[in-house]
Amino acid sequence: MRTSRLVERFAERSGAPFFLVVGTAACLTFMAAVTLPVDVALLVRAVRGLGPGHGLAGNADAVTVLVVLGGVNVLWLVTWWRNRRSRGSASAA
């Protein structure tokens, strides 16, 4: 009981930074444990699904997976890069 009260007081005093750190850690953990392995498995399966022996539907499916996953990842990287660049120039000024 005493520990939970200490945690509550800490959360009250620290406010948003506490929840920001916990939320960020949870998101990064989920990404590392779930999102990355699923993305890699889908990409590997899509690359293996390309080729003349897989037919038109198989190739179309593989290309669609590569375009969608690749597009989402490129969009994320561009957004991340722009945010990092703007933070760097703002702190330098």
Side-chain angles (χ1 to χ4, degrees), residues 6-93:
L6 288 174
V7 170
E8 287 176 13
R9 257 199 258 150
F10 175 74
E12 289 170 3
R13 274 187 270 140
S14 62
F18 172 76
F19 295 106
L20 183 64
V21 168
V22 170
T24 301
C27 288
L28 290 174
T29 301
F30 183 82
M31 184 185 77
V34 177
T35 304
L36 286 178
V38 169
D39 275 358
V40 169
L42 284 172
L43 288 171
V44 167
R45 191 171 181 189
V47 169
R48 287 183 183 160
L50 289 173
H54 297 284
L56 183 60
N59 284 325
D61 181 56
V63 167
T64 302
V65 169
L66 290 172
V67 167
V68 170
L69 280 180
V72 168
N73 288 324
V74 166
L75 180 63
W76 183 87
L77 280 172
V78 168
T79 304
W80 178 81
W81 182 256
R82 285 183 181 171
N83 286 337
R84 294 285 294 173
R85 191 173 59 189
S86 67
R87 260 193 252 152
S89 63
S91 65

